[in-house]
Amino acid sequence: MKGTQDRFNGDARVLHQRAVRTPLPNEEAERLFHENMMNVAAARERKADLLADPDVPLLEAYERELERVAGSFERRLRRIAGDDYRAVATAYNRGERDDRIGAIAAYYFEGLWRIQQRTTVTDMLFSPLILRYPDSFTVNVRFTSGYTTPKSIRYESPEHSSEELTDDHAETYYEESLYSQRQAAEYVRETAEVIREEFPDPAETSFEERKYGGIVSAGGRRGSVFSAMLDSVEPDPDRFSESIAEPRLVEAGPEAKQTERELGLDEELVY
């Protein structure tokens, strides 16, 4: 997306109380969805390894995570709108087209653009919600003006601190920061297992065991303090009454409202 910031400044309205619903019509679609979620779990484990390594700056772990998420969004954009997805999304935002593909492209492109801003912007929490239903799954992209939630763990990055400390205090602060990163690494690794439990392998589990699942996560930073959380979410079995044949934008469901309340996001959502 290099060079696109002159042409695109974001439009939060496309994300507001919306989600992308994607059908799961057959075994191949289920397998692909499962593989994508297992990649998310594996990426969290890689992040945990980096956080636990005292020789790796925290920012590197943070940026690699953002690169992984941004790459996932970009692959979705290419599958939906082709290589020229930027033009498709921009045309939709300008009112030059009003179709299903344009709407989804604008949704994911807005998410991609905001994710890529997070390497330099603080006080912007990214809190996606992914839910599996019997015949489809939804991705709800959300951003808030905060940096943490009541359920988040926090960890410190000495490289981002602007405090002037004496040598003794600086050494203590550095050791405490490394400890907080090791604690965060343990938590992040545990949450990878939550993902695996919520989205089991379709080749090894019955349909009844896998037809519902969900996770919500949140990550952000304020200055030198980073935060992370991930928890399971129970999908509403009554949310959808009809199947779909193609991906489309839908209204955010009751699960979105529930997680917004639980995480204290309901009054801070900026999308």
Side-chain angles (χ1 to χ4, degrees):
M1 230 173 71
K2 185 176 180 181
T4 62
Q5 291 185 23
D6 293 337
R7 306 193 304 272
F8 185 81
N9 294 312
D11 185 351
R13 291 174 297 177
V14 72
L15 299 179
H16 186 66
Q17 293 297 338
R18 289 177 170 179
V20 176
R21 183 187 180 196
T22 302
L24 293 171
N26 51 44
E27 292 181 2
E28 176 63 19
E30 283 214 48
R31 183 190 60 78
L32 180 60
F33 173 67
H34 173 71
E35 288 181 356
N36 288 338
M37 297 313 301
M38 294 308 97
N39 288 336
V40 173
R44 291 189 75 81
E45 290 175 330
R46 288 193 292 272
K47 179 182 178 181
D49 290 339
L50 295 175
L51 285 174
D53 188 340
D55 296 325
V56 176
L58 191 154
L59 184 61
E60 182 175 342
Y62 183 70
E63 289 183 340
R64 286 194 188 180
E65 179 185 36
L66 295 183
E67 288 173 0
R68 193 275 305 165
V69 176
S72 175
F73 271 58
E74 190 162 11
R75 286 190 295 274
R76 290 177 186 175
L77 279 162
R78 292 187 187 280
R79 284 198 301 268
I80 292 167
D83 290 340
D84 204 19
Y85 62 80
R86 297 170 186 162
V88 174
T90 301
Y92 182 88
N93 281 331
R94 289 174 177 169
E96 296 169 2
R97 59 185 294 168
D98 184 19
D99 60 292
R100 179 182 62 84
I101 291 177
I104 298 175
Y107 186 91
Y108 278 129
F109 189 66
E110 178 71 20
L112 173 62
W113 181 79
R114 288 180 179 271
I115 287 167
Q116 292 181 323
Q117 306 309 303
R118 292 179 64 213
T119 58
T120 56
V121 175
T122 64
D123 282 287
M124 184 169 70
L125 189 76
F126 176 44
S127 182
L129 173 64
I130 302 174
L131 300 167
R132 160 73 201 263
Y133 301 90
D135 61 354
S136 61
F137 70 92
T138 61
V139 176
N140 190 181
V141 177
R142 303 176 299 186
F143 295 87
T144 84
S145 58
Y147 80 104
T148 189
T149 78
K151 294 186 175 183
S152 297
I153 55 100
R154 303 178 191 182
Y155 49 105
E156 190 86 18
S157 171
E159 294 84 0
H160 289 81
S161 177
S162 59
E163 294 290 328
E164 294 289 339
L165 302 174
T166 64
D167 290 344
D168 288 344
H169 284 95
E171 184 177 354
T172 300
Y173 171 62
Y174 180 76
E175 292 298 326
E176 290 177 347
S177 296
L178 290 183
Y179 177 77
S180 73
Q181 291 176 30
R182 290 194 297 271
Q183 294 293 102
E186 292 181 13
Y187 172 82
V188 171
R189 193 177 305 280
E190 290 171 359
T191 60
E193 287 306 309
V194 174
I195 297 172
R196 293 191 173 96
E197 291 171 1
E198 289 298 309
F199 307 108
D201 190 338
E204 299 177 357
T205 56
S206 68
F207 181 70
E208 287 299 316
E209 292 177 282
R210 69 178 188 269
K211 67 180 181 178
Y212 289 109
I215 58 169
V216 61
S217 63
R221 75 178 177 100
R222 173 177 290 168
S224 62
V225 181
F226 290 69
S227 74
M229 71 79 56
L230 187 145
D231 203 355
S232 60
V233 178
E234 185 175 348
D236 182 353
D238 298 321
R239 181 175 179 187
F240 299 115
S241 59
E242 296 181 351
S243 298
I244 57 171
E246 299 173 308
R248 62 180 62 254
L249 283 185
V250 296
E251 293 298 314
E255 307 94 339
K257 292 294 186 182
Q258 173 191 334
T259 54
E260 287 164 15
R261 290 192 300 269
E262 292 175 349
L263 300 180
L265 310 180
D266 47 338
E267 295 183 358
E268 296 184 358
L269 283 170
V270 293
Y271 298 98

